[in-house]
Amino acid sequence: MSTAPVWSVDPRTGKPREDVASEATEHEVDEAVRAAWAARGALADRGVRAALLRTAAELLDGAAEQVVAAADAETALGSVRLAGELARTTAQLRAFADVVDEGAFLDVRIDHADPDRTPPWPDLRRMKVPLGVVAVYSASNFPLAFSVPGGDTASALAAGCPVVVKAHPAHPATSELCASLLRRAAVRVGLPPDVVALVHGFDAGVALVRHPLVSAAGFTGSVRGGRALFDAAAARPVPIPFHGELGSLNPVVVTRAAAEERGEEIGAGLGVSMTLGVGQFCTKPGFVLVPAGAGGDALVKALTAVVGDAEAGVMLDHRMRDAFVAGVAERAALDGVGAPVTPGSGGEHTVGAGFLTVAASVLASSGPHDLLLEECFGPVTVVARYEHPSEIGAVLSRLPGNLTATLQLSAGEAGGSEDGGAAALLLASLTGVAGRVVVDGWPTGVAVAPAQHHGGPYPATTSTSTSVGATAIERWLRPVTYQNTPEVLLPGELREGGGVGVPRRVDGRWESPTPPLP
C-alpha cells in the first residue's frame, strides 16, 4: 500500500523543494520500534553510550556546513542562528557523555544488612535502570537542538534507551540527514544502527505513542497536539510517561520603581527578546505587566521604536504564519485592546512584529479577554497596564503554567531589605506559575547547564521534569532495589568496592570519586 510523500518545503516561497520520504505505515512503525527494542541490550555498557554521544557530536560538527544549509532551506532561521544551534546541540551531546561517565545519574544507594535493627534490615541495593524504547517528537522551532539530535534523543541514549524519532513536517530533510549521522555514529562505535530510528507522518506519530514496546515519550510542540498524544499515552492498556512541552506565555512583571528608573532600557530589551527568531522561541515573553504612568509610558515608547523597526520575517512554515495572522487579528479586535505597532501579515510569505495593549483590570476576572492570556506563537506580546500593585497579583493568579517568568526590579528593590519586601512577594508569586524565574534579564536563551530547568506547571509541561540540562536524563530511568542478591548477580555499580567508580551512598554516606550531582 502506497503512502503519502513527505515534501521539504521552502518557507520563504511556500514551494516544495524535494520529495524526502514517505509517511510511515503502522507496519513500518512497528518494525522500527521492534528493531529499537532488540537493540536496547547493546546500550547497556556506559562506556559505549558515552562513545556514541561523542561520536555523534563529532559527525554532526564534521557535516556542519551541510546540516546548517539543510536546516536553513527548510526553516528560514538563517545560517548564523543555526550554526549556533548546532554548536549547542553537539555540546549537549558531549555534556550527556560526561554525565554517563560520571555515573551519578544512577543514584546508587547501598544499605548493608543490619540484623540489630528492629525490625532487622536486609541487604538493599538501589540504582536506576533505563525504561526501554523512547518515542521522541521533534519541535518545529529548533530543527537541531529540539529535534532528531536534540536533548530528548541525547538524554534518552545517555540513559540507555533506544530512540524512535517522529520527524517534524517542517524540516524532514534536515531530520533525515541528522538521523543518518546518528545511525552512522552508532555503527562506528559497534552498536546496531537501530538504536536511533526515524519515522514521518501524523498517523505514524499516533501509532508510535500507542505501541506496546514504547516505554516513554518526549514531545515539544503545540498544546493541542501534545495534549492529544498525552491522552493517548495515558489511555493505553499500560500507560507510559509522556514528557510534553506544550505552550508558555512567559509573563514579565515590571515594578513601578523599575519602570521609573529604567523604563527605556526595559522597553528596548523587551522588544529585542520578543522579536528574536521572529518570535518563535518557546521562552518568548508574551505577556507583560507594566505600570501606568510616566515610567510605563517610557517603556512603551522604547518598545514601539524597537518593534516598529523590526523587519518583516519568515515563520517556520505557512501554516504557522496563517495561525499567527489570525490569532493577532482576533486579539486586536477585543474591546479596549490597542495596537501601537500592529502585528500581522508583512507580505505574502512574511509577518510583521507588533504588540497589543490592554488595561490589566479587565484581565482580573474571566471573560472574552482571556484570549490574551493564551500563547500566540510569533512576534507579538501583550502589554497589560496596571494602576495599582494589587492588580498584579489578581492577574498572575489567573495565568496558566509557564516555562519562565521574569521580574524587572529597580536597583533599590534588588538590594532591598533583608526579607526582600514586596519584591520577595512578587518573586514568590512568579515561582508559583513557572519553572524558571528570571530577575532583571530576559528569558529567551536557555543555558544547557546542570542547574537548568526547562519545564513548568501545565500546560508548559505535562510533568515536573526538565528537557534541558543534566537532570533531563531522569525522565528515561526508573529505580530498582535488589534485596539479598548474590554479588555475582548484581550490576557492577552495586557490587562491593565500587569497582566501576560511580558516586554511591553507602549506609547513608556518600562514597564518591567526584561530587554527586544534586
Side-chain angles (χ1 to χ4, degrees):
M1 182 179 72
S2 62
T3 56
V6 175
W7 285 88
S8 172
V9 176
D10 183 348
R12 294 179 174 96
T13 65
K15 295 180 179 179
R17 295 177 58 251
E18 59 177 319
D19 183 352
V20 172
S22 296
E23 293 186 354
T25 64
E26 188 169 348
H27 175 68
E28 288 168 334
V29 171
D30 178 63
E31 286 186 323
V33 173
R34 290 186 182 280
W37 176 258
R40 71 194 188 285
L43 286 171
D45 187 299
R46 286 194 295 119
V48 174
R49 299 207 303 264
L52 167 62
L53 295 165
R54 293 191 176 102
T55 303
E58 177 186 334
L59 291 181
L60 284 161
D61 281 339
E65 186 175 344
Q66 186 183 3
V67 171
V68 168
D72 181 53
E74 293 187 302
T75 66
L77 289 173
S79 59
V80 173
R81 147 75 195 272
L82 289 165
E85 186 181 333
L86 179 59
R88 166 187 169 161
T89 302
T90 56
Q92 188 166 245
L93 286 161
R94 293 185 175 98
F96 275 113
D98 292 341
V99 169
V100 173
D101 283 340
E102 183 194 47
F105 73 96
L106 296 170
D107 193 22
V108 173
R109 297 169 185 266
I110 297 174
D111 290 313
H112 289 102
D114 187 349
D116 295 329
R117 282 184 175 264
T118 305
W121 275 11
D123 185 88
L124 300 169
R125 299 171 186 245
R126 181 187 190 270
M127 66 179 289
K128 291 182 178 178
V129 300
L131 289 175
V133 178
V134 170
V136 169
Y137 294 82
S138 297
S140 62
N141 56 341
F142 281 86
L144 305 173
F146 280 84
S147 189
V148 175
D152 285 351
T153 297
S155 58
L157 292 173
C161 297
V163 171
V164 180
V165 183
K166 191 280 185 183
H168 196 282
H171 51 264
T174 307
S175 299
E176 286 285 340
L177 173 58
C178 290
S180 70
L181 292 169
L182 293 183
R183 289 169 66 85
R184 193 187 310 169
V187 172
R188 184 171 291 188
V189 300
L191 289 167
D194 295 319
V195 295
V196 178
L198 183 70
V199 296
H200 297 267
F202 175 85
D203 290 340
V206 176
L208 187 57
V209 79
R210 290 175 174 167
H211 197 287
L213 295 183
V214 167
S215 299
F219 172 91
T220 303
S222 69
V223 173
R224 181 180 178 183
R227 183 54 193 257
L229 291 171
F230 174 73
D231 290 345
R236 292 169 36 134
V238 179
I240 59 172
F242 184 89
H243 300 284
E245 180 188 323
L246 311 188
S248 186
L249 197 60
N250 304 306
V252 178
V253 174
V254 182
T255 67
R256 188 174 299 280
E260 291 172 353
E261 181 178 273
R262 52 190 182 91
E264 256 184 73
E265 175 191 329
I266 295 172
L270 172 60
V272 171
S273 183
M274 59 147 290
T275 57
L276 190 65
V278 200
Q280 297 172 111
F281 279 69
C282 52
T283 53
K284 178 201 75 176
F287 181 79
V288 192
L289 282 158
V290 174
D297 292 344
L299 185 156
V300 171
K301 183 178 180 181
L303 176 62
T304 300
V306 172
V307 176
D309 287 343
E311 294 184 5
V314 177
M315 293 191 71
L316 293 160
D317 62 32
H318 279 61
R319 177 184 58 82
M320 294 179 193
R321 177 195 174 277
D322 293 345
F324 171 75
V325 172
V328 294
E330 186 179 4
R331 287 163 173 78
L334 294 168
D335 288 343
V337 173
V341 181
T342 304
S345 177
E348 186 179 359
H349 306 293
T350 59
V351 296
F355 69 98
L356 306 174
T357 58
V358 69
S361 58
V362 305
L363 300 172
S365 57
S366 67
H369 291 82
D370 287 357
L371 183 62
L372 300 173
L373 303 181
E374 297 177 12
E375 179 187 20
C376 186
F377 191 71
V380 65
T381 196
V382 174
V383 175
R385 304 293 297 270
Y386 64 88
E387 297 285 346
H388 190 273
S390 62
E391 294 175 32
I392 298 175
V395 174
L396 291 180
S397 69
R398 303 197 60 246
L399 292 186
N402 295 272
L403 294 170
T404 76
T406 299
L407 180 59
Q408 297 287 346
L409 300 172
S410 68
E413 289 171 317
S417 60
E418 286 188 10
D419 65 359
L425 295 176
L426 283 173
L427 195 69
S429 294
L430 292 175
T431 300
V433 298
R436 175 164 61 105
V437 182
V438 181
V439 177
D440 292 344
W442 298 104
T444 39
V446 182
V448 183
Q452 186 59 270
H453 186 82
H454 190 65
Y458 185 86
T461 49
T462 60
S463 70
T464 59
S465 300
T466 179
S467 59
V468 178
T471 54
I473 195 173
E474 294 174 358
R475 297 174 294 170
W476 321 121
L477 299 161
R478 67 180 180 88
V480 173
T481 292
Y482 297 88
Q483 180 171 327
N484 293 337
T485 303
E487 176 101 350
V488 69
L489 300 180
L490 288 169
E493 293 87 350
L494 294 180
R495 295 180 184 182
E496 288 300 307
V500 291
V502 301
R504 313 191 313 172
R505 187 179 290 277
V506 179
D507 296 328
R509 291 174 170 268
W510 276 108
E511 294 182 357
S512 177
T514 56
L517 291 174

